[in-house]
Amino acid sequence: MNHNLLVGQSGGPTAVINGSLYGVVSEGLANPEIDNVIGMINGIEGFLADHTIDMAPLKENGELERIRTTPGSYLGSCRYKLPEDLSDPVYPELFQKFTEKEISYFFYIGGNDSMDTVSKLSRYAATVGSDIRIIGVPKTIDNDLVLTDHTPGYGSAAKYVASTVREIAIDASVYDNKKSVTIVEIMGRHAGWLTAASALARNGYNTAPHLIYLPEVPFDKEDFLLDVKRMLFERNNVIVAVSEGIRDASGNYISASESSVDTFGHSQLSGAGKTLEFLVKEKLGVKVRSVEVNVLQRCAAHLASKTDLDEAFTLGQKAVALSEEDVTASMVTMRRISDAPYEISYEHAEIRHIANEAKSIPREWINDAGNDVTQPLIDYLSPLILGEVPVKYENGIPVYMDVSHLAKHQ
């Protein structure tokens, strides 16, 4: 019997998710105990439809290295929720396919919903006595997975957010003769980690963003208007960073479509920035515009953090190493040893303590007024965006891996 490794990606992509894939695949192919590495096309959903790809030829033809700096999910993604009921027929179907493909190792690269999949597969494996080693590799720009200091993908997205906010601030300062407000809406449904990263845009000549609003603190429109008015007394151009998931004291999102939810029941949020733009225009009567960063913050591989990419790769390697130590039903994690010099330790934690939990920004890392962040958060964030990743360019445009293989399975 062969001992094959199966790897997939799930949820929203990041600039470095393929760094983790590269770590898993390269380590798996180099391991004499592993006969082959198989990729799931479009995650567990694609695997159920028998959509897989042999990863070994990528190493043989010299293309595997280029996966590392390609944004998006090379294997494609899905948002497929496994049933809560472990007696559902999908579970024996999956494990039968594992047997047919001689799978001994299962790795899933993703965020909270992906770790839910790892948890359910692990629990089912325990009930049927399967010895498949099942491990989650963390990924999410939201940085909301528990029991790990941070998640791959976050550092690069934070770097993009901070860079973009600084550029927006410089742009806004060009016309200095009129009062203006620019509202930058940044991803973050329940946690404000990405929006908080906008504070890294500040330096000796740039004080923007002047206001930061996160989901961890109830949002009050009247307080917001007072904050903006106060800032307009001090300067002509006010830059505001706001999370898409800000909500009032009753828990209602400032802007959300109740008719649109994904398969995990998450509201599909957008429009918080536009809502506040209309509010400022109506109540304060100044020039105002909103900018929605949206998916740009998760696909800008040309502005990736080297620290982030290196950690993503190492976590992929670590997952394979842990599986060889008979670790299963777990997620690889990072524990911070120090901020300066920045040092982390690669470890693991049981998936049952991680799946369906969410990590918010500590309240003490947000100022008392709820409209800015404090120095401990800056200290936490600063190392994660360091370093630049060399990207190959052709005709002035970055060159990434061809992902046309995904279209064949759509």
Side-chain angles (χ1 to χ4, degrees):
M1 174 183 171
N2 286 329
H3 296 283
N4 296 330
L5 185 158
L6 184 66
V7 60
Q9 299 168 306
S10 179
T14 80
V16 302
I17 186 174
N18 289 325
S20 292
L21 178 64
Y22 176 69
V24 170
V25 174
S26 60
E27 191 74 3
L29 292 174
N31 192 318
E33 300 297 318
I34 297 172
D35 293 287
N36 196 20
V37 176
I38 301 169
M40 291 179 271
I41 299 296
N42 298 120
I44 199 77
E45 186 173 25
F47 181 73
L48 282 166
D50 294 317
H51 296 161
T52 61
I53 184 174
D54 185 356
M55 302 300 287
L58 291 173
K59 182 177 181 180
E60 295 164 4
N61 63 24
E63 288 191 307
L64 185 60
E65 171 71 23
R66 193 139 51 96
I67 282 181
R68 193 176 64 90
T69 54
T70 294
S73 300
Y74 178 77
L75 293 177
S77 188
C78 70
R79 292 193 183 276
Y80 180 82
K81 184 177 177 65
L82 284 172
E84 298 295 332
D85 183 0
L86 295 184
S87 65
D88 189 280
V90 72
Y91 290 103
E93 180 185 355
L94 277 168
F95 277 74
Q96 177 60 35
K97 289 181 181 293
F98 292 159
T99 300
E100 292 170 359
K101 294 186 181 295
E102 299 180 302
I103 303 301
S104 298
Y105 311 87
F106 178 97
F107 299 94
Y108 216 35
I109 307 169
N112 215 317
D113 296 332
S114 304
M115 295 310 120
D116 175 74
T117 297
V118 172
S119 177
K120 288 170 178 172
L121 291 177
S122 298
R123 282 186 279 136
Y124 183 80
T127 65
V128 297
S130 171
D131 60 358
I132 295 177
R133 276 149 278 185
I134 302 171
I135 296 180
V137 182
K139 168 266 356 165
T140 172
I141 65 170
D142 293 326
N143 196 40
D144 59 355
L145 284 172
V146 299
L147 301 187
T148 187
D149 180 77
H150 57 281
T151 53
Y154 174 62
S156 294
K159 184 173 187 144
Y160 183 87
V161 165
S163 301
T164 298
V165 169
R166 182 177 292 181
E167 290 165 350
I168 287 172
I170 292 173
D171 179 87
S173 68
V174 172
Y175 303 103
D176 202 34
N177 59 339
K178 289 185 179 180
K179 299 286 186 181
S180 72
V181 176
T182 302
I183 300 166
V184 186
E185 180 186 328
I186 300 164
M187 280 184 172
R189 181 186 293 112
H190 300 299
W193 294 104
L194 264 181
T195 304
S198 64
L200 298 178
R202 297 166 179 160
N203 63 5
Y205 61 81
N206 173 56
T207 58
H210 306 107
L211 296 165
I212 300 175
Y213 298 96
L214 312 174
E216 284 83 353
V217 177
F219 185 87
D220 184 279
K221 290 181 179 179
E222 293 304 317
D223 287 344
F224 165 73
L225 289 171
L226 288 173
D227 289 342
V228 173
K229 286 175 71 174
R230 175 173 54 83
M231 286 294 171
L232 285 169
F233 278 123
E234 300 174 4
R235 54 185 49 82
N236 285 335
N237 305 294
V238 176
I239 311 296
V240 181
V242 56
S243 292
E244 63 176 351
I246 53 171
R247 45 195 182 269
D248 62 24
S250 299
N252 300 310
Y253 289 108
I254 296 305
S255 182
S257 172
E258 295 181 0
S259 62
S260 179
V261 296
D262 66 16
T263 55
F264 286 86
H266 304 316
S267 296
Q268 300 302 283
L269 306 182
S270 66
K274 185 61 68 174
T275 297
L276 297 183
E277 175 189 337
F278 292 149
L279 181 66
V280 170
K281 184 177 294 183
E282 176 189 357
K283 300 296 185 179
L284 303 184
V286 298
K287 179 183 177 182
V288 58
R289 62 180 174 183
S290 60
V291 178
E292 186 180 350
V293 181
N294 209 298
V295 299
L296 300 175
Q297 57 213 309
R298 74 184 193 193
C299 62
H302 66 288
L303 199 58
S305 155
K306 185 177 186 301
T307 297
D308 192 27
L309 181 58
D310 289 347
E311 291 176 345
F313 168 70
T314 303
L315 282 167
Q317 285 186 311
K318 180 69 173 178
V320 178
L322 286 170
S323 71
E324 286 300 297
E325 298 170 10
D326 291 329
V327 171
T328 189
S330 298
M331 184 186 84
V332 286
T333 63
M334 290 181 282
R335 178 174 62 86
R336 188 173 304 210
I337 297 171
S338 67
D339 292 326
Y342 175 62
E343 184 181 357
I344 60 166
S345 172
Y346 295 92
E347 302 173 357
H348 69 278
E350 293 181 47
I351 196 66
R352 64 191 178 94
H353 297 307
I354 297 171
N356 302 308
E357 299 293 333
K359 177 179 68 179
S360 298
I361 296 176
R363 183 60 181 87
E364 61 269 23
W365 287 5
I366 305 170
N367 70 350
D368 292 341
N371 59 16
D372 207 340
V373 301
T374 60
Q375 189 59 43
L377 183 51
I378 300 296
D379 295 339
Y380 166 86
L381 289 167
S382 296
L384 306 184
I385 68 169
L386 295 179
E388 287 66 56
V389 177
V391 175
K392 181 181 178 182
Y393 282 76
E394 187 175 286
N395 298 323
I397 304 295
V399 179
Y400 301 126
M401 278 289 284
D402 180 6
V403 293
S404 59
H405 59 280
L406 297 177
K408 299 174 185 176
H409 301 282
Q410 292 176 352

